[in-house]
C-alpha cells in the first residue's frame, strides 16, 4: 500500500538533528509499499539537493536553495511518488509528483515541454499534468518525464518524445522505473533490474546479482537498488563516494551498503561540478540517511564534509499553512525576503536592491534568466536613474543576484555615487569591444563578476560565451577587486590612476556612453554645463567631440 495517514506532530516539528537512525527514535512509520514505483518513490535527490515525502504525504527539501524548494513544494499533499530531474545546469532542473488520486504535478524548468503543459513554459509552483489520471509512479530526465500507469504502461513527454504523453513499447513488464543522465533502468515484476542507454527503443541488459529488487535509482553510470529485505545495493561510478561503501573506488557489480537494513526507498543524483553525486535512503521510520558529495549540505547532516558512508539527515518542520506560497511570485518574495535578511550584515547592497525592486518584480513563465528595465530622467545639467521593473523566468540564486546587480547598478543613489560610478566606468572601458551587437557588455560583465563573488557556483553566461577574448571562464582578480572596492565605498585604484581630470573622464566615457555613469560621476567635476544633448536614450551623434569638456570645472 502507499504511504498515507497523518504523522505525529512531534515528529514533524522535531529539531534538526544529525546522526544514525535508531529504533527507539521511531515516532511514525511508513506502511509497506507494494505498488509500482518511479526512480524513487519517496525521495528526490539531484545535484546539490535532496527532497523526501513525509509520513503525512507532504514534501520537504534541504541542500542548495533548500528554503526555496521547501516553499515551492509547501502546497503539495497526498504525494505517493516523487522524482527530481538532474542536470549539469541547476536552472534546467524540474521535478514531478504523483498524487494518491493518480494525477501528476510538475514544476521547475519547462523549456522542453517536460512539465507536460503542452508548452515550453516554466513554473515554480506545482502544476497538474493534463489527461493523466491513473499514474502510479513518475521518473524525470534532463529534458523529459515518464509516468508509469496502473496497468503497467509507460507514457513520456518532453524532449526526445513530444509535448502530449508518448507511450513506450518493448520493455519487460515493470514495477519501477528510473531515468539517469544517459541511462535508464526498470525493475521487472520478477524483481530483476534491466538497464539501457536512454532513448525511444531501449535494448535492455539485465544486472547480474539482483533478483529481489523493489526499486532502482540511476545517476551518471551509477545505480542503487532497494532489496525486498530493506537492504540497498549500489554499483557503477563512485568518484564522489555515491555508492556509500566507504571508498571512492568504482564497482562494476552491485554491493550492499553496510548499516542499512530497513530502507523503503533510495535515490541517487547524477552529479556534476560544482555538486558531484550523492545519494539518500529513506528508512521506514521516516528518517533519511545520505552519503556522497556534501558541498551544499545535501547530505543534510549539518556539515559540508564529504561522506563516504550513510549519515542521518536533519529534520525540518513544515511551513505553516498560512505561509505556503501558491504562485511563483510568492515563492520568490518569501525566499528572497529571508535571503536578504540573512545577508544584510555582510552584503547590505543586496537588501537595498531587493527592497527597491521587490514590488516591481514579475515572474515570467518563459524566457532566459531575467531582465531589469530602467528609466533615466535627464535635465540640462544632470540625470537621475531608477529601476522600474525586474522580470525573471528562472528562479535561482545566481540569476536573482545577477538581476539585483542591475537594479543596484542602475538606481541612482543606491550605491556610493563616485565609487560605484568608477566601477561602472572601469567595466565599460575595459570591455567596450566585447560581444559586438550585444548592447553594453560592460554592464553584464560587471553583473557576472559581482554574482560570482556572491554565488561562486552560479553559471557565468558572459564569461563562458564566445565574443570576448579578454574574458576567462571566471572573473579576473582585478575585476573582482574593483567591484569589492566599489561596494565598500572606496574609489578603485584603476580610476585614481587613469582618470586624473574631467577631460580624461570625458574622453573615456565617450567610448561607451551611459547616462547611469554620467549621473554618478558628473558631480565629481562640478556637474555638467547647460546643454541639450543629455537625453534618454542618448543620441551618440549629438555628443560633443572628444576634445570638448562639458563639465563645470572647465569653466563651461
Amino acid at each position: 500500500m502507499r504511504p498515507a495517514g497523518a504523522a505525529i506532530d512531534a515528529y514533524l516539528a522535531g529539531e534538526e538533528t544529525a546522526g544514525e537512525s535508531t529504533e527507539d527514535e521511531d515516532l511514525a512509520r511508513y506502511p509497506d509499499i507494494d505498488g509500482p514505483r518511479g526512480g524513487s518513490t519517496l525521495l528526490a535527490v539531484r545535484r546539490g539537493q535532496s527532497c523526501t515525502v513525509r509520513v503525512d504525504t507532504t514534501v520537504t527539501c534541504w541542500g542548495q536553495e533548500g528554503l526555496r524548494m521547501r516553499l515551492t513544494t509547501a502546497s503539495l499533499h497526498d504525494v505517493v511518488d516523487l522524482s527530481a530531474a538532474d542536470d549539469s545546469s541547476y536552472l534546467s532542473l524540474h521535478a514531478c509528483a504523483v498524487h494518491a488520486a493518480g494525477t501528476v504535478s510538475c514544476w521547475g524548468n519547462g523549456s522542453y515541454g517536460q512539465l507536460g503543459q503542452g508548452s515550453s513554459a516554466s513554473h515554480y509552483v506545482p502544476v497538474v499534468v493534463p489527461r493523466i489520471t491513473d499514474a502510479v509512479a513518475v521518473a524525470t530526465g534532463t529534458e523529459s518525464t515518464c509516468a508509469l500507469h496502473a496497468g503497467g504502461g509507460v507514457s513520456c513527454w518532453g524532449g526526445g518524445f513530444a509535448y502530449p504523453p508518448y507511450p513506450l513499447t518493448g520493455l519487460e513488464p515493470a514495477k519501477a522505473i528510473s531515468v539517469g543522465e544517459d541511462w535508464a533502468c526498470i525493475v521487472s515484476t520478477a524483481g530483476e533490474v534491466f538497464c539501457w542507454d536512454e532513448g525511444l527503443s531501449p535494448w535492455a541488459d539485465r544486472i547480474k546479482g539482483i533478483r529481489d529488487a523493489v526499486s532502482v535509482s540511476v545517476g551518471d553510470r551509477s545505480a542503487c537498488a532497494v532489496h525486498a529485505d530493506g537492504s540497498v545495493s549500489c554499483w557503477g561510478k563512485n568518484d564522489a563516494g555515491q555508492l556509500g561503501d566507504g571508498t571512492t573506488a568504482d564497482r562494476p557489480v552491485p554491493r550492499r551498503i553496510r548499516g542499512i537494513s530497513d530502507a523503503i526507498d533510495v535515490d541517487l543524483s547524477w552529479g556534476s561540478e560544482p555538486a558531484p553525486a550523492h545519494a539518500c535512503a529513506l528508512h521506514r521510520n521516516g528518517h533519511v540517511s545520505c552519503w556522497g558529495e556534501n558541498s551544499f549540505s545535501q547530505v543534510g547532516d549539518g556539515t559540508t564534509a564529504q561522506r563516504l558512508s550513510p549519515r542521518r539527515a536533519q529534520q525540518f518542520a513544515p511551513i505553516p499553512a498560512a505561509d505556503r506560497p501558491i504562485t511563483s511570485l510568492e515563492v520568490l518574495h518569501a525566499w528572497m525576503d529571508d535571503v536578504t535578511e540573512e545577508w544584510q550584515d555582510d552584503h547590505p547592497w543586496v537588501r537595498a536592491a531587493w527592497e527597491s525592486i521587490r514590488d516591481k518584480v514579475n515572474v515570467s513563465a518563459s524566457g532566459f534568466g531575467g531582465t531589469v528595465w530602467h528609466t533615466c530622467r535627464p535635465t540640462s545639467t544632470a540625470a537621475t536613474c531608477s529601476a522600474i521593473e525586474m522580470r525573471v523566468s528562472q528562479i535561482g540564486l545566481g540569476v536573482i543576484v545577477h538581476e539585483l546587480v542591475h537594479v543596484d547598478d542602475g538606481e541612482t543613489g543606491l550605491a556610493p555615487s563616485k565609487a560605484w560610478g568608477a566601477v561602472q566606468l572601469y567595466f565599460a572601458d575595459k570591455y567596450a569591444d566585447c560581444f559586438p551587437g550585444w548592447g553594453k557588455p560592460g554592464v553584464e560583465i560587471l553583473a557576472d563578476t559581482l554574482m560570482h563573488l556572491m554565488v561562486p557556483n552560479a553559471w557565468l553566461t558572459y564569461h563562458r560565451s564566445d565574443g570576448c577574448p579578454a574574458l576567462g571562464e571566471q572573473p579576473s582578480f582585478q575585476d573582482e577587486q574593483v567591484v569589492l572596492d566599489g561596494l565598500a565605498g572606496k574609489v578603485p585604484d584603476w580610476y585614481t590612476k587613469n582618470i586624473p581630470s574631467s577631460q580624461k573622464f570625458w574622453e573615456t566615457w565617450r567610448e561607451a556612453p551611459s547616462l547611469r555613469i554620467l549621473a554618478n560621476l558628473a558631480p565629481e567635476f562640478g556637474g555638467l554645463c547647460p546643454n541639450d544633448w543629455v537625453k534618454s536614450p542618448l543620441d551618440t551623434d549629438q555628443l560633443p567631440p572628444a576634445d570638448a569638456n562639458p563639465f563645470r570645472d572647465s569653466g563651461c
Side-chain angles (χ1 to χ4, degrees), residues 356-362 386-391 411:
S356 172
I357 202 69
R358 184 185 189 278
D359 296 330
K360 307 170 187 174
V361 174
N362 174 30
S386 61
I388 58 175
E389 183 183 4
M390 183 171 92
R391 182 175 298 172
E411 184 100 17

Side-chain angles (χ1 to χ4, degrees), residues 525-539:
F525 308 107
L528 285 164
C529 299
N531 64 80
D532 59 1
W533 57 266
V534 180
K535 299 177 181 178
S536 181
L538 282 170
D539 183 349

Side-chain angles (χ1 to χ4, degrees), residues 354-372:
W354 173 245
E355 289 180 346
S356 172
I357 202 69
R358 184 185 189 278
D359 296 330
K360 307 170 187 174
V361 174
N362 174 30
V363 178
S364 173
S366 60
F368 176 79
T371 306
V372 174

Side-chain angles (χ1 to χ4, degrees), residues 122-454:
S122 298
H123 297 271
Y124 293 93
V125 290
V127 289
V128 176
V129 178
R131 298 186 297 280
I132 299 288
T133 59
D134 65 342
V136 292
V138 67
T140 52
T142 305
E143 302 170 357
S144 59
T145 304
C146 294
L148 187 61
H149 297 274
V154 175
S155 294
C156 297
W157 56 92
F161 300 101
Y163 283 175
Y166 185 95
L168 284 181
T169 59
L171 294 173
E172 294 282 329
K175 64 179 180 181
I177 186 171
S178 179
V179 179
E181 183 168 18
D182 299 306
W183 210 24
C185 296
I186 61 167
V187 176
S188 72
T189 54
E192 295 181 313
V193 176
F194 294 84
C195 300
W196 70 94
D197 288 334
E198 188 177 2
L200 287 175
S201 302
W203 294 92
D205 295 320
R206 183 174 68 82
I207 303 300
K208 297 179 180 179
I210 297 182
R211 297 185 179 277
D212 62 345
V214 295
S215 72
V216 65
S217 177
V218 181
D220 175 16
R221 296 295 165 177
S222 302
C224 293
V226 176
H227 296 270
D229 62 2
S231 61
V232 173
S233 290
C234 297
W235 66 97
K237 191 165 72 171
N238 194 29
D239 55 321
Q242 63 264 44
L243 302 188
D245 63 358
T247 76
T248 56
D250 295 350
R251 293 201 172 275
V253 296
R255 179 174 179 175
R256 300 200 185 206
I257 297 176
R258 295 178 60 184
I260 296 183
S261 60
D262 64 342
I264 58 173
D265 204 4
V266 68
D267 201 15
L268 177 68
S269 76
W270 301 1
S272 60
E273 292 296 336
H278 76 291
C280 294
L282 179 65
H283 300 271
R284 186 164 301 284
N285 62 8
H287 295 309
V288 176
S289 293
C290 301
W291 57 93
E293 177 62 24
N294 194 27
S295 55
F296 295 100
S297 297
Q298 58 265 47
V299 168
D301 64 350
T303 77
T304 55
Q306 184 185 46
R307 300 299 185 183
L308 302 183
S309 57
R311 297 282 293 182
R312 161 93 170 272
Q314 299 171 328
Q315 298 175 24
F316 292 88
I319 294 172
D323 297 330
R324 295 171 186 168
I326 59 174
T327 68
S328 297
L329 181 59
E330 289 178 356
V331 169
L332 179 59
H333 276 168
W335 174 51
M336 286 306 299
D337 287 347
D338 186 85
V339 168
T340 55
E341 182 175 355
E342 179 183 346
W343 282 5
Q344 64 181 347
D345 292 335
D346 295 329
H347 311 291
W349 76 267
V350 178
R351 179 140 194 185
W354 173 245
E355 289 180 346
S356 172
I357 202 69
R358 184 185 189 278
D359 296 330
K360 307 170 187 174
V361 174
N362 174 30
V363 178
S364 173
S366 60
F368 176 79
T371 306
V372 174
W373 282 269
H374 300 88
T375 183
C376 289
R377 295 172 294 280
T379 67
S380 63
T381 58
T384 58
C385 301
S386 61
I388 58 175
E389 183 183 4
M390 183 171 92
R391 182 175 298 172
V392 294
S393 57
Q394 295 173 306
I395 300 181
L397 194 55
V399 168
I400 302 304
V401 169
H402 184 101
E403 299 311 320
L404 288 179
V405 177
H406 288 319
V407 173
D408 192 71
D409 191 47
E411 184 100 17
T412 308
L414 271 186
S417 295
K418 180 179 178 181
W420 196 251
V423 173
Q424 294 172 314
L425 186 65
Y426 167 86
F427 280 91
D429 177 62
K430 183 174 180 179
Y431 298 109
D433 296 328
C434 287
F435 306 114
W438 285 31
K440 295 181 173 62
V443 173
E444 297 295 347
I445 297 169
L446 166 56
D448 251 11
T449 302
L450 183 45
M451 177 185 69
H452 183 69
L453 287 166
M454 301 289 296

